[in-house]
Amino acid sequence: GCRTADSRFVKGVMMEIAHADMIEAEALAEQAAARHYLYQLLARAFAEEPDDALREALSSPLTAQAWRCLVEAGAVEKCGELDSDLRRSDLAAALSRPEYTRLFLGPGVLPVPPWESAHTAGSRGLFSRDTLSVRKFYASFGYRVQGYPRVSEDFLATELYFVAALCREELHALSEGDDAAVTRARGARQRFLREHVGRWIGTFSVRLSAQEPSSAYAVLAQVASTLVQGDGSRAENALQ
């Protein structure tokens, strides 16, 4: 009788553990999906001139849901006000093609260059050692930028797209139950945030806000910086 009771107790505990593991896996998958969506959205914002699809996405309920998911998980700190800023209809409406061109394309000297090497190498020139380091990082995970080798890989949008791709890999690995692939994707994201985009996006955001305080892109840069800094810290803690 005691053995039967013990067996039932153990079975019940194992079922509870399995259920808890399932809930945790679902939460991790939801967070990976939220990260992928937000990195993809912010990358698109800096990648090219704005259009109606971007404006709609920025103010959509899905964007609010993604932010809320990461805030509730403790993955991003101090995000409440930025969440409101990101979804403001006037912010989305303020994104314009002339402003994007002036800030990120030229002609002329750009107010705040959107390349890693401009903020880490002390030079506004492209294709520096930092650029080549980013290229090598991409290649080590099987990625190559379209337009290679004429395109500078350390462009902000490109780096954010790469982080989004790593989030997508993690999401796929979670769905397959491939723990090794999950660890690999998380580790790659943490390293890239620490060694590359996380090193300079804060400086870029501060400089853009100082140079263009009324720009909608300054708000987006602050949002991107908050996501990167919070995610980098969270990813590093998760791997320890």
Side-chain angles (χ1 to χ4, degrees):
C2 291
R3 288 184 179 179
T4 301
D6 288 345
S7 176
R8 289 175 179 172
F9 174 76
V10 170
K11 184 177 180 180
V13 170
M14 294 302 294
M15 290 178 65
E16 289 180 5
I17 293 174
H19 181 63
D21 288 343
M22 182 179 67
I23 293 175
E24 181 181 6
E26 290 176 352
L28 291 174
E30 184 179 5
Q31 292 166 34
R35 288 190 185 92
H36 174 255
Y37 172 83
L38 291 171
Y39 277 117
Q40 188 90 1
L41 176 63
L42 290 165
R44 166 60 188 87
F46 289 102
E48 55 187 317
E49 297 166 330
D51 57 15
D52 289 341
L54 173 62
R55 296 184 185 94
E56 182 178 348
L58 285 171
S59 56
S60 73
L62 184 59
T63 298
Q65 181 181 347
W67 274 119
R68 188 163 53 249
C69 171
L70 296 184
V71 171
E72 291 177 355
V76 178
E77 297 178 356
K78 300 179 182 178
C79 203
E81 293 181 3
L82 292 177
D83 177 16
S84 299
D85 286 340
L86 185 62
R87 293 185 291 110
R88 275 177 14 215
S89 59
D90 59 327
L91 171 69
L95 296 175
S96 69
R97 294 192 174 198
E99 183 179 29
Y100 181 89
T101 300
R102 180 178 64 81
L103 292 177
F104 305 123
L105 297 179
V109 177
L110 303 183
V112 184
W115 301 289
E116 177 179 333
S117 53
H119 301 274
T120 59
S123 169
R124 294 198 173 200
L126 301 181
F127 301 106
S128 69
R129 181 186 304 175
D130 286 335
T131 307
L132 298 179
S133 176
V134 174
R135 178 184 299 173
K136 184 177 179 181
F137 202 109
Y138 293 163
S140 68
F141 289 90
Y143 290 89
R144 189 170 73 174
V145 175
Q146 290 183 348
Y148 169 89
R150 299 179 304 279
V151 174
S152 181
E153 287 93 337
D154 64 344
F155 179 42
L156 175 59
T158 306
E159 294 194 352
L160 294 176
Y161 273 132
F162 178 65
V163 179
L166 294 176
C167 293
R168 184 180 64 240
E169 288 191 13
E170 179 184 349
L171 183 59
H172 176 72
L174 285 167
S175 69
E176 296 292 321
D178 189 339
D179 292 341
V182 169
T183 299
R184 176 178 179 272
R186 285 182 187 165
R189 187 176 91 250
Q190 187 269 325
R191 271 190 57 210
F192 191 76
L193 293 173
R194 183 183 68 243
E195 297 176 9
H196 291 289
V197 66
R199 291 175 59 207
W200 68 280
I201 193 169
T203 301
F204 170 79
S205 172
V206 169
R207 290 178 178 174
L208 189 60
S209 294
Q211 291 285 334
E212 306 287 337
S214 61
S215 172
Y217 284 101
V219 175
L220 291 178
Q222 187 182 5
V223 170
S225 178
T226 299
L227 176 62
V228 167
Q229 301 296 342
D231 189 23
S233 175
R234 175 78 172 188
E236 187 169 2
N237 291 336
L239 289 169
Q240 292 177 348

